[in-house]
Amino acid sequence: MSARPEDTAPTGPAARGFDLVIRASRILTPAGIVSAEVGIRAGVITRIEPLGSGLDGVSTIELTADETLIPGLVDTHVHVNEPGRTEWEGFASATRAAAAGGVTTIIDMPLNSIPPTTTARALELKRSVAQGQCFVDVGFWGGAVPGNTAELRGLHDAGVFGFKCFLLPSGVDEFPPLEPAEMEADMALTSGLNSVLIVHAEDARTIDRAPAAAGDHYDTFLASRPRAAENLAIADVIERARRTGARAHILHLSSSDALPMIAGARRDGVKLTVETCPHYLTLTAEEIPDGATAFKCCPPIREASNRDLLWQGLTEGVIDCIVSDHSPSTLDLKDPANGDFAVAWGGVSSLQLGLSLVWTEARTRGISLERVLGWMSTTPANLARLTRKGRLSVGSDADMAIFGAEDTFVVDARKLNHKNPITPYDGRTLTGVVRMTFLRGREVDGRTPTGRLLRRGT
């Protein structure tokens, strides 16, 4: 295990000014994994020197040979749900879970809270509720819904990181979908603001024509959310982003069919980024038992062959990042008594498990830890333009985790920090354990919330 910070007396002038020094043979920096010493002052990384340089600090941590110091993860797709549906998840429980999984920054989605974050007033309410509860740093997306175009500039000025919209019913009445023409109008506005529109891209008309989900067989649910729905919606997003010059971001890509058109749009200069999620990279439709509604999410988990192509899209750079889409609910909304996929809430709880899930799968594919952290830390930070997050480099916030890459554990849903103990990963053996997490150079202890509320540009 890692040594705890030692309360040693400073040496030299003010211990060379470092509050904390971390020494390790494996530190993941933008230059790769190096042996180094990291000096932290006032919550910021101020020096990185070769191991043996003798940096002094008020406290010192020496990592063991099997530990890697990694940048804190940045998860730009988290549904916290507070206020209004706090029984689903809240800021304290969500951010405690995030820290336990090495996530040091989250950006909260504008739904499923009540009210949704579609006005500056609603954003201020959400910020007031979150204040003093957060164990990691928290930012906020705004919402784009029918009739609120005039609100977007106010939300932007109040510090949201961009705007989310749906192209089909979201699952909650207070956050309705945009028609494609409305989406284009909002893209034109966000382009002028130098912001981004992030899109749940499934085509409503295609889903309306698909067979309805019914009963406890997963294959019927899968047929109700065909790949064509994603493919058509993504094509529409691309063309409207092309016309407006806007930045657009595709949320939770599950259809590998869309990868060629995404790559083609990028070659044409369309400002398009794409994410996928751990559940699409680690689970397959073939393995989902009857009635196992913990696996239900929208868009759905697809076949093993599709999963392999998503991994290929990541390694080829077509998919930019991996984020959780942590979308929890109370247990009853998952309809455990009947296991009816048509009735159950669609969402996967995995905020605490993301790094271990992805690393477990990536290492079997010969993919390095450096690449995994690029997808889960650096690139999401770039998406949100968080210039001080997502990397261990001089001038960055000292948001870090100590990771035991060879450790294994069995997921027990009852022991997770998520508010409701349900996850499709219950009982699964995973590799990679977060042993300690630091926010601005201070260990996150799960008792004292020190997270800050972030605004765009911070």
Coordinates of all heavy atoms in Angstrom, one line a residue, residues 365-440:
R365 N -6.7 -6.3 -24.7 CA -6.5 -6.0 -26.1 C -5.1 -5.4 -26.4 O -4.9 -4.8 -27.5 CB -7.6 -5.0 -26.5 CG -9.0 -5.6 -26.4 CD -10.1 -4.6 -26.6 NE -11.4 -5.2 -26.5 CZ -12.1 -5.7 -27.5 NH1 -11.7 -5.5 -28.7 NH2 -13.3 -6.2 -27.3
G366 N -4.2 -5.4 -25.4 CA -2.9 -4.8 -25.6 C -2.8 -3.3 -25.6 O -1.9 -2.8 -26.2
I367 N -3.8 -2.7 -25.0 CA -3.9 -1.2 -25.0 C -3.3 -0.7 -23.7 O -3.6 -1.2 -22.6 CB -5.3 -0.7 -25.2 CG1 -5.8 -1.2 -26.5 CG2 -5.4 0.8 -25.0 CD1 -7.3 -0.9 -26.7
S368 N -2.4 0.3 -23.8 CA -1.7 0.8 -22.6 C -2.5 1.6 -21.7 O -3.6 2.2 -22.1 CB -0.5 1.6 -23.1 OG -0.9 2.8 -23.7
L369 N -2.0 1.7 -20.5 CA -2.7 2.6 -19.5 C -2.6 4.1 -19.9 O -3.6 4.8 -19.7 CB -2.0 2.4 -18.1 CG -2.6 3.2 -17.0 CD1 -4.1 2.8 -16.7 CD2 -1.8 3.0 -15.7
E370 N -1.6 4.5 -20.6 CA -1.5 5.8 -21.1 C -2.6 6.2 -22.0 O -3.2 7.2 -22.0 CB -0.1 6.1 -21.8 CG 1.1 5.9 -21.0 CD 1.7 4.6 -21.0 OE1 1.0 3.6 -20.9 OE2 3.0 4.5 -21.3
R371 N -2.9 5.2 -22.9 CA -4.0 5.5 -23.9 C -5.4 5.6 -23.2 O -6.2 6.4 -23.5 CB -4.1 4.4 -25.0 CG -2.9 4.4 -25.9 CD -3.2 4.0 -27.3 NE -3.9 5.0 -28.0 CZ -4.3 4.8 -29.3 NH1 -4.1 3.7 -29.9 NH2 -4.9 5.8 -29.9
V372 N -5.6 4.7 -22.2 CA -6.8 4.7 -21.4 C -7.0 6.0 -20.7 O -8.1 6.6 -20.8 CB -6.9 3.5 -20.4 CG1 -8.0 3.7 -19.4 CG2 -7.0 2.2 -21.2
L373 N -5.9 6.5 -20.1 CA -6.1 7.8 -19.4 C -6.2 9.0 -20.3 O -6.8 10.0 -20.0 CB -4.8 8.0 -18.5 CG -5.0 7.5 -17.0 CD1 -6.1 8.3 -16.3 CD2 -5.3 6.0 -16.9
G374 N -5.7 8.9 -21.5 CA -5.9 9.9 -22.5 C -7.4 10.0 -22.9 O -8.0 11.1 -23.0
W375 N -8.1 8.8 -23.0 CA -9.5 8.8 -23.3 C -10.4 9.2 -22.2 O -11.5 9.7 -22.4 CB -9.9 7.4 -23.8 CG -9.3 7.0 -25.1 CD1 -9.0 7.7 -26.1 CD2 -8.8 5.6 -25.4 NE1 -8.4 7.0 -27.1 CE2 -8.3 5.7 -26.7 CE3 -8.9 4.4 -24.7 CZ2 -7.8 4.5 -27.3 CZ3 -8.4 3.3 -25.3 CH2 -7.9 3.3 -26.6
M376 N -9.9 9.0 -20.9 CA -10.8 9.2 -19.8 C -10.4 10.4 -18.9 O -11.1 10.8 -18.0 CB -10.7 8.0 -18.9 CG -11.2 6.7 -19.6 SD -11.4 5.3 -18.5 CE -13.0 5.7 -17.7
S377 N -9.3 11.1 -19.3 CA -8.9 12.2 -18.5 C -8.5 13.4 -19.4 O -9.2 14.5 -19.4 CB -7.7 11.9 -17.6 OG -7.3 12.9 -16.8
T378 N -7.5 13.3 -20.2 CA -7.0 14.4 -21.0 C -8.1 14.9 -22.1 O -8.4 16.1 -22.2 CB -5.7 14.0 -21.8 OG1 -4.8 13.5 -20.8 CG2 -5.2 15.2 -22.5
T379 N -8.6 13.9 -22.8 CA -9.6 14.3 -23.9 C -10.9 14.9 -23.4 O -11.4 15.9 -23.9 CB -9.8 13.2 -24.9 OG1 -8.5 12.6 -25.2 CG2 -10.5 13.7 -26.1
P380 N -11.5 14.3 -22.3 CA -12.7 14.9 -21.8 C -12.4 16.4 -21.2 O -13.2 17.3 -21.4 CB -13.1 14.0 -20.7 CG -12.5 12.7 -21.0 CD -11.2 13.0 -21.7
A381 N -11.2 16.5 -20.6 CA -10.9 17.9 -20.2 C -10.8 18.8 -21.3 O -11.2 20.0 -21.3 CB -9.5 17.8 -19.4
N382 N -10.2 18.4 -22.5 CA -10.1 19.2 -23.6 C -11.5 19.5 -24.2 O -11.7 20.7 -24.6 CB -9.3 18.5 -24.7 CG -7.8 18.4 -24.4 OD1 -7.3 19.1 -23.5 ND2 -7.1 17.5 -25.0
L383 N -12.4 18.6 -24.2 CA -13.8 18.8 -24.6 C -14.4 20.0 -23.9 O -15.0 20.8 -24.5 CB -14.6 17.5 -24.5 CG -16.1 17.7 -24.6 CD1 -16.5 18.1 -26.1 CD2 -16.9 16.5 -24.2
A384 N -14.2 20.0 -22.6 CA -14.8 21.0 -21.7 C -13.9 22.2 -21.6 O -14.3 23.2 -20.9 CB -15.1 20.4 -20.3
R385 N -12.8 22.2 -22.3 CA -11.8 23.3 -22.2 C -11.4 23.6 -20.8 O -11.3 24.8 -20.4 CB -12.4 24.6 -22.9 CG -12.6 24.3 -24.4 CD -13.2 25.5 -25.1 NE -13.2 25.3 -26.6 CZ -13.7 26.1 -27.5 NH1 -14.4 27.2 -27.1 NH2 -13.7 25.9 -28.8
L386 N -11.1 22.6 -20.1 CA -10.6 22.7 -18.7 C -9.1 22.6 -18.8 O -8.5 21.5 -18.7 CB -11.2 21.5 -17.8 CG -12.7 21.7 -17.5 CD1 -13.2 20.3 -17.0 CD2 -12.9 22.8 -16.4
T387 N -8.5 23.7 -18.9 CA -7.0 23.7 -19.2 C -6.2 23.3 -18.1 O -5.0 23.0 -18.3 CB -6.6 25.1 -19.7 OG1 -6.9 26.1 -18.7 CG2 -7.4 25.5 -21.0
R388 N -6.7 23.3 -16.9 CA -5.9 22.9 -15.7 C -6.2 21.5 -15.2 O -5.7 21.1 -14.2 CB -6.1 23.9 -14.6 CG -5.7 25.3 -14.9 CD -6.2 26.3 -13.8 NE -5.6 26.1 -12.5 CZ -4.5 26.6 -12.1 NH1 -3.8 27.5 -12.9 NH2 -4.0 26.3 -10.9
K389 N -7.0 20.8 -16.0 CA -7.4 19.4 -15.6 C -6.9 18.4 -16.6 O -6.5 18.8 -17.7 CB -8.9 19.3 -15.5 CG -9.6 20.4 -14.6 CD -9.3 20.2 -13.1 CE -10.1 21.1 -12.2 NZ -9.8 20.9 -10.8
G390 N -6.9 17.1 -16.2 CA -6.7 16.1 -17.1 C -5.3 15.7 -17.5 O -5.0 14.9 -18.3
R391 N -4.3 16.3 -16.8 CA -2.9 15.9 -17.1 C -2.0 16.3 -15.9 O -2.3 17.2 -15.1 CB -2.4 16.7 -18.3 CG -2.6 18.2 -18.2 CD -2.3 19.0 -19.5 NE -3.1 18.5 -20.6 CZ -4.4 18.9 -20.8 NH1 -5.0 19.7 -19.9 NH2 -5.1 18.5 -21.8
L392 N -1.0 15.5 -15.7 CA 0.0 15.8 -14.7 C 1.2 16.6 -15.3 O 2.1 16.0 -15.9 CB 0.5 14.5 -14.0 CG -0.5 13.6 -13.3 CD1 0.2 12.4 -12.7 CD2 -1.2 14.4 -12.2
S393 N 1.1 17.9 -15.2 CA 2.1 18.8 -15.8 C 2.2 20.0 -15.0 O 1.2 20.4 -14.2 CB 1.7 19.1 -17.3 OG 0.4 19.8 -17.3
V394 N 3.3 20.7 -15.1 CA 3.5 21.9 -14.3 C 2.4 23.0 -14.7 O 2.2 23.2 -15.9 CB 4.9 22.5 -14.5 CG1 5.1 23.8 -13.9 CG2 5.9 21.5 -14.0
G395 N 1.8 23.5 -13.7 CA 0.7 24.5 -13.9 C -0.7 23.9 -13.8 O -1.6 24.7 -13.7
S396 N -0.8 22.6 -13.8 CA -2.1 22.0 -13.7 C -2.5 21.8 -12.2 O -1.6 21.7 -11.4 CB -2.1 20.6 -14.4 OG -1.8 20.7 -15.7
D397 N -3.8 21.7 -12.0 CA -4.3 21.4 -10.7 C -3.7 20.0 -10.3 O -3.6 19.1 -11.1 CB -5.8 21.4 -10.6 CG -6.4 22.7 -10.7 OD1 -5.7 23.8 -10.6 OD2 -7.6 22.8 -10.9
A398 N -3.4 19.9 -9.0 CA -2.8 18.6 -8.5 C -3.9 17.6 -8.2 O -4.1 17.2 -7.1 CB -2.0 18.9 -7.3
D399 N -4.7 17.3 -9.3 CA -5.8 16.3 -9.2 C -5.2 15.0 -9.7 O -4.8 14.9 -10.9 CB -6.9 16.7 -10.1 CG -7.6 18.0 -9.7 OD1 -7.3 18.5 -8.6 OD2 -8.4 18.6 -10.5
M400 N -5.1 14.0 -8.8 CA -4.3 12.8 -9.1 C -5.0 11.6 -8.4 O -5.8 11.8 -7.5 CB -2.9 13.0 -8.6 CG -2.2 14.2 -9.0 SD -0.7 14.5 -8.0 CE -1.4 14.9 -6.4
A401 N -4.5 10.4 -8.8 CA -4.9 9.2 -8.1 C -3.7 8.3 -8.1 O -2.9 8.3 -9.0 CB -6.1 8.6 -8.8
I402 N -3.7 7.4 -7.1 CA -2.7 6.4 -7.0 C -3.4 5.1 -7.4 O -4.4 4.7 -6.8 CB -2.1 6.2 -5.6 CG1 -1.3 7.5 -5.3 CG2 -1.2 5.0 -5.5 CD1 -0.8 7.6 -3.8
F403 N -2.9 4.5 -8.5 CA -3.6 3.4 -9.1 C -2.8 2.1 -9.1 O -1.6 2.1 -9.5 CB -3.9 3.7 -10.6 CG -4.7 2.8 -11.4 CD1 -6.0 2.5 -10.9 CD2 -4.3 2.2 -12.5 CE1 -6.8 1.6 -11.6 CE2 -5.1 1.3 -13.2 CZ -6.3 1.0 -12.8
G404 N -3.4 1.0 -8.5 CA -2.8 -0.3 -8.5 C -3.2 -1.1 -9.7 O -4.3 -1.7 -9.7
A405 N -2.5 -1.0 -10.8 CA -3.0 -1.5 -12.1 C -3.1 -3.0 -12.1 O -3.8 -3.6 -13.0 CB -2.0 -1.1 -13.2
E406 N -2.5 -3.8 -11.2 CA -2.6 -5.2 -11.2 C -3.5 -5.8 -10.1 O -3.7 -7.0 -10.1 CB -1.2 -5.8 -11.0 CG -0.2 -5.4 -12.1 CD -0.6 -5.8 -13.5 OE1 -1.2 -6.9 -13.7 OE2 -0.5 -5.0 -14.4
D407 N -4.0 -4.9 -9.3 CA -4.9 -5.3 -8.2 C -6.2 -5.8 -8.9 O -6.7 -5.3 -9.9 CB -5.3 -4.2 -7.3 CG -4.1 -3.8 -6.4 OD1 -3.0 -4.4 -6.5 OD2 -4.3 -2.8 -5.7
T408 N -6.9 -6.8 -8.2 CA -8.2 -7.2 -8.7 C -9.2 -7.1 -7.5 O -8.8 -7.1 -6.3 CB -8.2 -8.7 -9.2 OG1 -7.8 -9.5 -8.1 CG2 -7.2 -8.8 -10.4
F409 N -10.5 -7.0 -7.9 CA -11.5 -7.0 -6.9 C -12.8 -7.4 -7.5 O -13.0 -7.5 -8.8 CB -11.7 -5.6 -6.3 CG -12.3 -4.6 -7.2 CD1 -13.6 -4.2 -7.2 CD2 -11.4 -4.0 -8.2 CE1 -14.1 -3.2 -8.1 CE2 -11.9 -3.0 -9.1 CZ -13.3 -2.6 -9.0
V410 N -13.8 -7.8 -6.7 CA -15.1 -8.3 -7.2 C -16.1 -7.2 -6.8 O -16.2 -6.7 -5.7 CB -15.5 -9.6 -6.5 CG1 -16.9 -10.0 -7.0 CG2 -14.5 -10.7 -6.9
V411 N -16.8 -6.7 -7.8 CA -17.8 -5.6 -7.6 C -18.9 -6.1 -6.7 O -19.5 -7.2 -7.0 CB -18.4 -5.1 -9.0 CG1 -19.4 -4.1 -8.7 CG2 -17.3 -4.6 -9.9
D412 N -19.2 -5.3 -5.7 CA -20.3 -5.6 -4.8 C -21.2 -4.3 -4.8 O -20.7 -3.3 -4.2 CB -19.8 -5.9 -3.4 CG -21.0 -6.2 -2.4 OD1 -22.1 -5.9 -2.7 OD2 -20.7 -6.8 -1.3
A413 N -22.3 -4.4 -5.4 CA -23.1 -3.2 -5.6 C -23.5 -2.5 -4.3 O -23.6 -1.3 -4.2 CB -24.4 -3.5 -6.4
R414 N -23.6 -3.3 -3.2 CA -23.9 -2.8 -1.9 C -22.8 -1.9 -1.3 O -23.1 -1.1 -0.4 CB -24.3 -3.9 -1.0 CG -25.5 -4.8 -1.4 CD -25.5 -6.1 -0.6 NE -24.3 -6.9 -0.8 CZ -24.1 -8.0 -0.2 NH1 -25.0 -8.5 0.7 NH2 -23.0 -8.7 -0.5
K415 N -21.6 -2.1 -1.8 CA -20.5 -1.4 -1.2 C -20.1 -0.1 -2.0 O -19.1 0.6 -1.6 CB -19.3 -2.3 -1.0 CG -19.5 -3.4 0.0 CD -18.3 -4.3 0.1 CE -18.6 -5.5 1.1 NZ -17.4 -6.4 1.3
L416 N -20.8 0.1 -3.1 CA -20.4 1.3 -3.9 C -21.0 2.5 -3.3 O -22.0 2.4 -2.5 CB -21.0 1.1 -5.3 CG -20.5 -0.1 -6.2 CD1 -21.2 -0.1 -7.5 CD2 -19.0 0.1 -6.4
N417 N -20.5 3.7 -3.6 CA -20.9 4.9 -3.0 C -22.1 5.5 -3.7 O -22.6 6.5 -3.3 CB -19.8 5.9 -3.0 CG -18.7 5.5 -2.0 OD1 -19.0 5.5 -0.8 ND2 -17.5 5.2 -2.5
H418 N -22.5 4.9 -4.9 CA -23.7 5.4 -5.5 C -24.9 5.3 -4.6 O -24.9 4.4 -3.7 CB -24.0 4.6 -6.8 CG -22.9 4.4 -7.7 ND1 -22.7 3.4 -8.5 CD2 -21.8 5.3 -8.0 CE1 -21.6 3.5 -9.2 NE2 -21.0 4.7 -8.9
K419 N -25.9 6.1 -4.7 CA -27.0 6.1 -3.7 C -27.8 4.8 -3.8 O -28.3 4.3 -2.7 CB -27.9 7.3 -4.0 CG -29.0 7.5 -2.9 CD -29.6 8.8 -3.0 CE -28.8 9.9 -2.3 NZ -29.5 11.2 -2.1
N420 N -28.0 4.3 -5.0 CA -28.9 3.1 -5.1 C -28.0 1.9 -5.6 O -27.3 2.0 -6.6 CB -30.0 3.4 -6.1 CG -31.0 4.3 -5.6 OD1 -31.8 4.0 -4.8 ND2 -30.9 5.6 -6.0
P421 N -28.1 0.8 -4.8 CA -27.1 -0.3 -5.1 C -27.6 -1.2 -6.2 O -28.0 -2.4 -6.0 CB -27.1 -1.1 -3.7 CG -28.5 -0.8 -3.2 CD -28.9 0.6 -3.6
I422 N -27.5 -0.7 -7.4 CA -27.8 -1.5 -8.6 C -26.8 -1.1 -9.7 O -26.5 0.0 -10.0 CB -29.2 -1.3 -9.1 CG1 -29.5 -2.2 -10.3 CG2 -29.5 0.1 -9.4 CD1 -31.0 -2.3 -10.6
T423 N -26.2 -2.2 -10.3 CA -25.3 -2.0 -11.4 C -25.2 -3.3 -12.2 O -25.2 -4.4 -11.6 CB -23.9 -1.6 -10.9 OG1 -23.0 -1.5 -12.0 CG2 -23.3 -2.5 -9.9
P424 N -25.0 -3.3 -13.5 CA -24.9 -4.5 -14.2 C -23.6 -5.3 -13.9 O -23.4 -6.4 -14.3 CB -25.0 -4.1 -15.7 CG -24.6 -2.7 -15.7 CD -25.1 -2.1 -14.4
Y425 N -22.7 -4.6 -13.2 CA -21.4 -5.2 -13.0 C -21.3 -5.9 -11.7 O -20.2 -6.4 -11.3 CB -20.3 -4.1 -13.0 CG -20.3 -3.3 -14.3 CD1 -20.8 -2.0 -14.4 CD2 -19.8 -3.9 -15.5 CE1 -20.8 -1.3 -15.6 CE2 -19.8 -3.2 -16.7 CZ -20.3 -1.9 -16.7 OH -20.4 -1.2 -17.9
D426 N -22.4 -6.0 -10.9 CA -22.4 -6.7 -9.6 C -21.9 -8.1 -9.8 O -22.4 -8.9 -10.6 CB -23.8 -6.7 -9.1 CG -23.8 -7.1 -7.6 OD1 -22.9 -6.8 -6.9 OD2 -24.8 -7.8 -7.2
G427 N -20.9 -8.5 -9.0 CA -20.3 -9.8 -9.1 C -19.2 -10.0 -10.1 O -18.5 -11.0 -10.1
R428 N -18.9 -9.0 -10.9 CA -17.8 -9.1 -11.9 C -16.5 -8.8 -11.3 O -16.3 -7.9 -10.5 CB -18.1 -8.1 -13.0 CG -17.2 -8.2 -14.2 CD -17.6 -7.3 -15.4 NE -18.8 -7.8 -16.0 CZ -18.9 -8.0 -17.3 NH1 -17.9 -7.7 -18.1 NH2 -20.1 -8.5 -17.8
T429 N -15.5 -9.6 -11.7 CA -14.1 -9.4 -11.3 C -13.4 -8.4 -12.2 O -13.4 -8.5 -13.4 CB -13.3 -10.7 -11.3 OG1 -13.9 -11.6 -10.4 CG2 -11.9 -10.5 -10.8
L430 N -12.8 -7.3 -11.6 CA -12.2 -6.3 -12.4 C -10.7 -6.1 -11.9 O -10.4 -6.5 -10.8 CB -12.9 -4.9 -12.2 CG -14.4 -4.9 -12.6 CD1 -14.9 -3.5 -12.3 CD2 -14.6 -5.2 -14.0
T431 N -9.9 -5.6 -12.8 CA -8.5 -5.4 -12.5 C -8.3 -3.8 -12.5 O -8.8 -3.1 -13.4 CB -7.6 -6.0 -13.6 OG1 -7.9 -7.4 -13.7 CG2 -6.2 -5.7 -13.4
G432 N -7.5 -3.4 -11.5 CA -7.1 -2.0 -11.4 C -7.9 -1.4 -10.2 O -9.1 -1.3 -10.3
V433 N -7.2 -0.9 -9.2 CA -7.8 -0.4 -8.0 C -7.3 1.0 -7.7 O -6.0 1.2 -7.7 CB -7.6 -1.3 -6.8 CG1 -8.1 -0.6 -5.5 CG2 -8.4 -2.6 -7.0
V434 N -8.1 2.0 -7.5 CA -7.7 3.3 -7.1 C -7.5 3.3 -5.6 O -8.4 3.0 -4.8 CB -8.8 4.4 -7.5 CG1 -8.4 5.7 -6.9 CG2 -9.0 4.5 -9.0
R435 N -6.3 3.5 -5.2 CA -5.9 3.4 -3.8 C -6.0 4.7 -3.0 O -6.4 4.7 -1.8 CB -4.5 2.9 -3.6 CG -4.3 1.4 -4.2 CD -2.9 0.9 -4.0 NE -2.7 -0.4 -4.6 CZ -1.6 -1.1 -4.6 NH1 -0.5 -0.5 -4.1 NH2 -1.5 -2.3 -5.1
M436 N -5.8 5.8 -3.7 CA -5.9 7.1 -3.1 C -6.3 8.1 -4.2 O -5.8 8.0 -5.3 CB -4.7 7.6 -2.4 CG -4.3 6.8 -1.2 SD -2.7 7.4 -0.5 CE -3.1 9.0 0.2
T437 N -7.1 9.1 -3.9 CA -7.4 10.2 -4.8 C -7.1 11.5 -4.2 O -7.4 11.7 -3.0 CB -8.9 10.1 -5.3 OG1 -9.1 8.8 -5.9 CG2 -9.2 11.2 -6.2
F438 N -6.5 12.4 -5.0 CA -6.2 13.8 -4.5 C -6.9 14.8 -5.3 O -6.9 14.8 -6.5 CB -4.7 14.0 -4.6 CG -3.8 13.0 -3.8 CD1 -3.5 11.8 -4.4 CD2 -3.4 13.3 -2.5 CE1 -2.7 10.9 -3.7 CE2 -2.6 12.4 -1.8 CZ -2.3 11.2 -2.4
L439 N -7.4 15.8 -4.6 CA -8.0 17.0 -5.3 C -7.2 18.2 -4.9 O -7.1 18.5 -3.7 CB -9.5 17.1 -4.9 CG -10.2 18.3 -5.6 CD1 -10.4 18.0 -7.1 CD2 -11.6 18.5 -4.9
R440 N -6.5 18.8 -5.9 CA -5.6 19.9 -5.6 C -4.6 19.6 -4.5 O -4.4 20.4 -3.6 CB -6.4 21.2 -5.3 CG -7.0 21.9 -6.5 CD -7.7 23.1 -6.2 NE -8.9 22.8 -5.4 CZ -10.1 22.4 -5.9 NH1 -10.2 22.2 -7.2 NH2 -11.1 22.2 -5.1

